[in-house]
Amino acid sequence: MTTGLIPGAPTPEGPTGGQMPHQRHDPAGREALHVDDRTRSSVITARAAASFEPVGRSVASARSFVRDTLQGWGFADIVDDAVVLTSELVTNAVVHAGTSADVLCLRSEDGVRIEVADRYPEREIPLQGSPVNMGSPDREGGRGLQLCAALAGRWGVDYSPTQKQVWFQLDLPERPVGTRAAGPSLPLDLLPLADGRVRVAVVQIDRAGAISSWNEDAEDLFGYASEQVVGKPLTDFAAWPHTPGTSTGIAEALQLSRWEGSYGIRGADGRVIPVYASHLRVRDTDGEPSTVCLLVRNHERAVLQTPVRVPAGDSASESTSSDPFEVFIGSPAPDDLDGLLQRTVERARDMLDGDSAFLLLATDDETELEVRASTGLPSARQRFARVPVEAGPGRYGSARMPAVHEDLTMVPGAVPLLRGTGMRSVVTVPLKVEGRLTGSLGVAAEGPGRYTNEEALRLQFAADRIALAVESARLGELERLRRGSLSFLVEASDLLAGTLDRDQTLALMAQMTVPTLATWCAVYTIADQASEPYLSYVLHEDEELIDGIKSLLSKIPPPDPVPTPGARIWSAPAESAHQAALRTSMRSLGLGEPVGRVSAGIGPTLATASAVGGETVVLPLVARNRVIGMLTLGKPTDEHFRQEILELAEDLSRRAALALDNARLYSERTAISQSLQRSLLPPELPEIDGVEVEVIYRAAGEGNEVGGDFYDLFPISDGAYGFAIGDVCGTGPNAAAVTGLARHALRLLAREGLSGPAVLERLNSAILDEGARSRFLTLLYGEMRPQEDGSAELKVVCAGHPLPLRLRQDGTVEPAAEPQPLLGVMEDLELYEQTVTLDPGDVLLCVTDGVTERREGTRMLGDDGLADVLTTCTGLTAGAVAARIMRAVERFASDAPSDDMAILAMRVPEVHQD
């Protein structure tokens, strides 16, 4: 892949920036393809280009290139759409068209244009409005064009004589520009409430994202002294919401000239404090940029929140309105769902003079309500906590109907969300769109009897007017989330499919979920149906907490391996963390341990307890109708999972389970294969007095330890040793089967006292008895006896094998045997043995044909080339001789060897006179 980035480059005339003229292709009998070239007239401020080879892995590389390019340009809002479209178009080019793909990204003031060109112009694109079908979503092909039509603002196809170019334009979402506004005078009872003194934390962040200033109010709000935080990254303390496809990351937010919104700060006690923030990017006199952050408690956001601009024509009607909630409804709704919901609950609370308010959105099946915004309630009642739609019998137990409770102490559990909050009176009304329940809005007060049916009617009137805006914003958020989920699952599938290593698969599973889906993750694996779940991997976004979480989880029973799909709540980690924190606190106060628990140890730290104190869910890992493990996801204290995240995690768990099971099967089969192959090799070489021996063995093929070549060296009797080196026709497991037969038969026959020719004749009969499975075999077999004068006597039989070479002390090389018929072809063989004497300093080199037939193009090493290398080995030990031969073979050709190779070197050392 080649890439280039040219800021401020002019608009290119083609995908490679050349001057090639484009020809618009208009097939006869069809309408011309709609191509809008208005983006060509825009000012191009930057371009990035890359070329990708026609191989499958290029699709993932193209996705990464587009993602990195758009993130670098600050276009995070459209990254997911661009990645999905690029993936489909590059797949069409490199997989279906079978050509290389050129990807060009063009940045302009109003958006991004991405062009994908291939070298197959003859393969036409079906045209919109034509009778040719663009493709079904259920088919493999054609989906790229459907996605372009659905996601892109504009798209089209250009044809030239040598290439076809598909392009699409993604427009940037309009961002509201900062405004100045003044609100009208309001009665005192309508002003927002604050808890005593309002504290505004002023935090300054330098270019690198580290905290450079921390004022006294920040110390009071979050519990950290200035010296504890200055110099550390803001990301160490900010609990930024991580939702695929939505929101802006903290790094991007700090780079914007102005930003305003909600997130959390982890306090010194480990709890997350919801805050509302206003960021302003400035630079000092030296031009060094920094970001000034103003932070207040989330329920005091009115101190910092910028008022929404109201159209001038509405000012008169707004001033005469007596209902502040109607003023809010009449103003433009915020762009983001969270801002709309938070403003709704604050206005609802002010309208009914309540102490708290909450808004819940219904799940798709309308069985549960999910807390999405609240004010005046403890943090544990905040985002993503779930309550049932039907909380009890009767109309007051259902969220589908308006309800007024004068005193909750008289009907405990009537409103589960308010249990333990101190609220006594409450009014709740449903949010409905076209008769379907989409949410519930409630206002509560600490005193009894505060609300009547009149307040319920006012609140219901407001809820009816806001319901459609809420539903529209919710659907927009779901659409962004699903687009992000699609991109997330595509990349996750690529990563999981790219490895068959079990440990790497476990690590990928955890790394893909943290922090995108959860704050921490644990993976349990189950070896077989009789085994208990085993804690195999733990990951937390803060690496310092991993050991503590692993220690905590190892002390509690694992979750039950239930095959039922979907996420289920697992309360054991939070309960155990709570007990551990309680014991730790008792020790710090000097209260000692309860009886019987003195030796239990200090246990997890308070930070660990806070990290796992939130909601924990378990998803089964089911592959081939068997539970092979569990994926456990967790949140810190007071945080819950949203339903869309759990659905995305369920999709991921299905893919991860199959990848993990494939890795398990591959590991098991590899282990079995390696065990069987090792059984075919000699256990170890014996030490022979007066003779040096060295063996080098290389099996061809990935994962093979034994192939068609083999060797052996073993004691026979009376100081005699048998040695053999052979080559079975072919490579791999089939050849290895004959290898095992030959090696074991040689040992057995030789120890029966048979001569060399007799041993080989009986081995030949055994190979022929294999019938259709038999393979011919070349074999060099011999018996060696060291002599008292320091020499060694060898009796050898060379049955169709490359001849052994003898290296003398003077550097001459000569064959040490004569060729005879190979084994496994003819039934009647007449073999004979030859006697060779190795004098001190002589070397006998035996190799298989994988050495002599090593090729580079038309050249082959051959017997003469091997002999030339051996002549340079005078005076070397047997090990040095074998190593030099192997180096020469490897250097002869650049490609990996395609045949098995075996080298057996035996040397009689020189006798040194004292």
Side-chain angles (χ1 to χ4, degrees):
M1 182 187 77
T2 58
T3 62
L5 180 62
I6 309 175
T11 305
E13 295 298 323
T16 58
Q19 300 299 320
M20 179 182 296
H22 282 72
Q23 298 179 3
R24 192 62 50 93
H25 186 74
D26 186 9
R30 295 187 292 179
E31 294 293 332
L33 181 64
H34 171 68
V35 179
D36 189 345
D37 278 343
R38 285 178 294 172
T39 55
R40 287 293 192 174
S41 61
S42 302
V43 176
I44 303 301
T45 58
R47 71 183 294 271
S51 297
F52 301 93
E53 298 176 355
V55 293
R57 63 176 181 273
S58 293
V59 180
S61 301
R63 285 199 298 268
S64 299
F65 164 70
V66 171
R67 180 178 295 279
D68 293 344
T69 299
L70 268 59
Q71 291 283 13
W73 289 349
F75 291 164
D77 293 336
I78 60 175
V79 163
D80 291 320
D81 287 354
V83 168
V84 170
L85 295 178
T86 302
S87 178
E88 292 292 336
L89 297 181
V90 173
T91 300
N92 291 341
V94 304
V95 175
H96 301 304
T99 75
S100 60
D102 297 329
V103 180
L104 176 65
C105 301
L106 301 175
R107 182 182 71 185
S108 62
E109 300 91 336
D110 54 355
V112 169
R113 171 173 169 140
I114 296 180
E115 303 173 354
V116 179
D118 63 43
R119 304 293 194 277
Y120 192 11
E122 296 83 1
R123 189 174 190 217
E124 297 180 355
I125 299 293
L127 305 185
Q128 291 177 298
S130 70
V132 180
N133 186 12
M134 289 174 62
S136 166
D138 298 327
R139 295 178 55 195
E140 178 66 22
R143 290 178 298 186
L145 304 181
Q146 289 186 329
L147 286 174
C148 283
L151 302 182
R154 293 182 294 275
W155 69 281
V157 184
D158 295 340
Y159 289 89
S160 72
T162 60
Q163 67 179 10
K164 174 176 75 269
Q165 180 187 93
V166 183
W167 62 267
F168 59 89
Q169 169 83 21
L170 294 175
D171 298 327
L172 295 177
E174 295 184 1
R175 295 190 176 96
V177 181
T179 59
R180 295 176 180 269
S185 299
L186 292 176
L188 294 180
D189 58 348
L190 296 181
L191 295 177
L193 298 176
D195 298 338
R197 176 192 165 190
V198 176
R199 297 186 181 274
V200 180
V202 181
V203 183
Q204 193 157 1
I205 314 299
D206 63 17
R207 178 197 292 267
I211 298 172
S212 59
S213 178
W214 184 269
N215 74 339
E216 293 181 1
D217 278 359
E219 295 181 3
D220 185 82
L221 282 174
F222 310 123
Y224 298 105
S226 177
E227 56 271 14
Q228 292 179 276
V229 297
V230 170
K232 296 183 178 179
L234 178 63
T235 52
D236 289 355
F237 305 95
W240 201 267
H242 293 283
T243 304
T246 64
S247 304
T248 301
I250 185 170
E252 291 86 354
L254 293 177
Q255 296 298 318
L256 298 176
S257 60
R258 184 180 293 275
W259 184 89
E260 192 174 308
S262 300
Y263 52 94
I265 296 292
R266 293 187 178 89
D269 59 357
R271 298 175 64 87
V272 175
I273 302 168
V275 298
Y276 191 82
S278 176
H279 296 177
L280 177 66
R281 192 160 171 80
V282 299
R283 58 189 176 91
D284 58 21
T285 54
D286 296 329
E288 189 68 18
S290 63
T291 303
V292 178
C293 306
L294 304 181
L295 312 174
V296 297
R297 295 182 181 91
N298 198 47
H299 63 273
E300 297 172 343
R301 60 166 55 193
V303 176
L304 298 179
Q305 191 169 27
T306 302
V308 177
R309 183 197 298 269
V310 179
D314 296 341
S315 59
S317 60
E318 180 177 312
S319 62
T320 59
S321 174
S322 60
D323 191 338
F325 202 83
E326 291 185 14
V327 173
F328 164 69
I329 297 300
S331 64
D335 292 335
D336 62 304
L337 176 63
D338 292 337
L340 174 61
L341 300 183
Q342 190 63 38
R343 187 175 302 175
T344 299
V345 296
E346 290 172 357
R347 291 301 179 91
R349 179 196 61 183
D350 296 343
M351 182 181 71
L352 298 186
D353 193 21
D355 296 311
S356 65
F358 52 89
L359 194 151
L360 303 88
L361 295 183
T363 56
D364 291 339
D365 57 5
E366 297 185 30
T367 60
E368 287 187 315
L369 294 166
E370 195 173 60
V371 179
R372 292 300 302 270
S374 67
T375 182
L377 294 178
S379 58
R381 302 298 195 273
Q382 288 189 358
R383 290 169 60 83
F384 308 128
R386 288 179 293 278
V387 297
V389 170
E390 308 293 341
R395 61 168 294 181
Y396 291 134
S398 174
R400 301 180 186 277
M401 300 292 291
V404 177
H405 295 279
E406 295 183 350
D407 194 346
L408 290 177
T409 59
M410 305 300 293
V411 281
V415 183
L417 182 67
L418 300 179
R419 186 182 295 116
T421 62
M423 301 296 163
R424 296 187 62 180
S425 56
V426 60
V427 53
T428 61
V429 296
L431 276 70
K432 293 185 177 181
V433 176
E434 297 180 350
R436 183 174 59 87
L437 180 69
T438 60
S440 177
L441 176 64
V443 178
E446 295 180 354
R450 290 280 298 276
Y451 302 116
T452 64
N453 288 339
E454 182 180 351
E455 282 80 12
L457 288 174
R458 291 181 63 200
L459 190 60
Q460 184 67 70
F461 177 72
D464 292 342
R465 299 186 65 184
I466 196 65
L468 188 57
V470 169
E471 180 68 2
S472 176
R474 186 182 75 89
L475 292 176
E477 181 189 68
L478 287 176
E479 181 64 21
R480 291 191 297 272
L481 178 63
R482 285 166 183 163
R483 291 183 181 183
S485 300
L486 176 62
S487 178
F488 173 78
L489 290 175
V490 166
E491 294 192 12
S493 299
D494 277 354
L495 290 172
L496 291 171
T499 179
L500 286 172
D501 182 82
R502 177 182 176 276
D503 294 336
Q504 189 174 0
T505 301
L506 289 171
L508 284 174
M509 290 170 57
Q511 292 166 6
M512 285 185 292
T513 58
V514 177
T516 305
L517 305 181
T519 305
W520 64 272
C521 167
V523 183
Y524 290 85
T525 56
I526 303 175
D528 52 61
Q529 295 181 352
S531 302
E532 290 293 324
Y534 175 74
L535 182 62
S536 298
Y537 202 90
V538 176
L539 184 65
H540 190 280
E541 62 182 5
D542 184 351
E543 294 183 358
E544 296 180 357
L545 297 177
I546 294 178
D547 291 338
I549 295 177
K550 187 181 298 183
S551 174
L552 176 69
L553 295 178
S554 63
K555 295 177 181 178
I556 61 177
D560 296 330
V562 179
T564 306
R568 68 182 191 275
I569 302 296
W570 186 32
S571 59
E575 293 173 356
S576 179
H578 176 73
Q579 293 298 325
L582 179 61
R583 293 194 298 270
T584 303
S585 299
M586 292 176 64
R587 292 190 191 94
S588 65
L589 296 174
L591 299 179
E593 284 284 341
V595 178
R597 298 298 300 274
V598 177
S599 61
I602 293 180
T605 63
L606 288 174
T608 301
S610 176
V612 300
E615 189 174 54
T616 302
V617 297
V618 178
L619 297 104
L621 298 174
V622 181
R624 298 175 176 90
N625 298 320
R626 187 175 73 87
V627 180
I628 63 171
M630 285 88 70
L631 178 64
T632 303
L633 307 179
K635 288 281 190 179
T637 301
D638 299 338
E639 292 194 27
H640 301 267
F641 289 97
R642 62 184 304 176
Q643 188 64 32
E644 293 82 4
I645 292 297
L646 294 180
E647 293 173 0
L648 179 58
E650 186 177 354
D651 286 340
L652 176 64
S653 68
R654 287 194 291 266
R655 290 164 169 78
L658 189 58
L660 182 61
D661 199 46
N662 288 339
R664 178 188 63 82
L665 292 174
Y666 179 79
S667 299
E668 290 178 356
R669 292 179 181 180
T670 300
I672 293 172
S673 175
Q674 291 176 346
S675 177
L676 292 175
Q677 290 185 63
R678 292 190 187 103
S679 68
L680 302 178
L681 295 174
E684 59 183 9
L685 296 178
E687 294 185 3
I688 304 176
D689 293 336
V691 179
E692 298 174 359
V693 180
E694 182 64 28
V695 173
I696 296 179
Y697 185 86
R698 297 285 189 275
E702 184 178 358
N704 292 330
E705 295 190 17
V706 177
D709 291 5
F710 70 96
Y711 68 92
D712 202 357
L713 179 65
F714 55 90
I716 299 177
S717 62
D718 301 331
Y721 293 86
F723 66 91
I725 184 169
D727 184 2
V728 178
C729 173
T731 62
N734 293 330
V738 180
T739 295
L741 169 66
R743 193 178 69 80
H744 290 96
L746 282 176
R747 287 197 173 207
L748 179 63
L749 295 172
R751 288 171 177 170
E752 290 294 324
L754 299 176
S755 64
V759 168
L760 267 61
E761 289 169 1
R762 284 167 173 76
L763 176 59
N764 180 64
S765 299
I767 294 175
L768 292 175
D769 288 343
E770 290 292 304
R773 297 181 301 175
S774 66
R775 291 169 175 259
F776 65 79
L777 167 68
T778 67
L779 180 65
L780 172 66
Y781 173 75
E783 295 181 2
M784 175 176 57
R785 291 178 180 273
Q787 304 297 311
E788 294 182 356
D789 61 357
S791 63
E793 183 182 81
L794 283 72
K795 294 180 179 181
V796 297
V797 181
C798 187
H801 198 77
L803 299 179
L805 299 179
R806 176 181 181 180
L807 171 65
R808 296 182 179 275
Q809 290 192 56
D810 59 4
T812 58
V813 174
E814 60 184 7
E818 297 177 355
Q820 301 184 57
L822 50 76
L823 308 181
V825 178
M826 299 180 294
E827 293 186 1
D828 297 327
L829 292 180
E830 295 183 0
L831 303 175
Y832 58 91
E833 63 184 10
Q834 297 174 268
T835 302
V836 179
T837 300
L838 294 182
D839 296 325
D842 289 355
V843 175
L844 184 71
L845 177 67
C846 310
V847 300
T848 58
D849 60 6
V851 174
T852 56
E853 295 180 3
R854 177 72 162 149
R855 295 179 180 274
E856 173 70 18
T858 59
R859 298 186 306 120
M860 186 174 71
L861 179 63
D863 296 333
D864 294 338
L866 179 64
D868 292 340
V869 177
L870 186 59
T871 57
T872 66
C873 298
T874 305
L876 299 181
T877 64
V881 171
R884 179 169 293 185
I885 297 298
M886 179 55 70
R887 283 198 303 272
V889 172
E890 291 174 344
R891 293 173 180 173
F892 187 81
S894 57
D895 296 337
S898 59
D899 195 5
D900 305 324
M901 292 187 293
I903 299 174
L904 171 62
M906 295 181 289
R907 177 178 181 269
V908 178
E910 300 177 15
V911 179
H912 298 282
Q913 301 294 334
D914 294 335

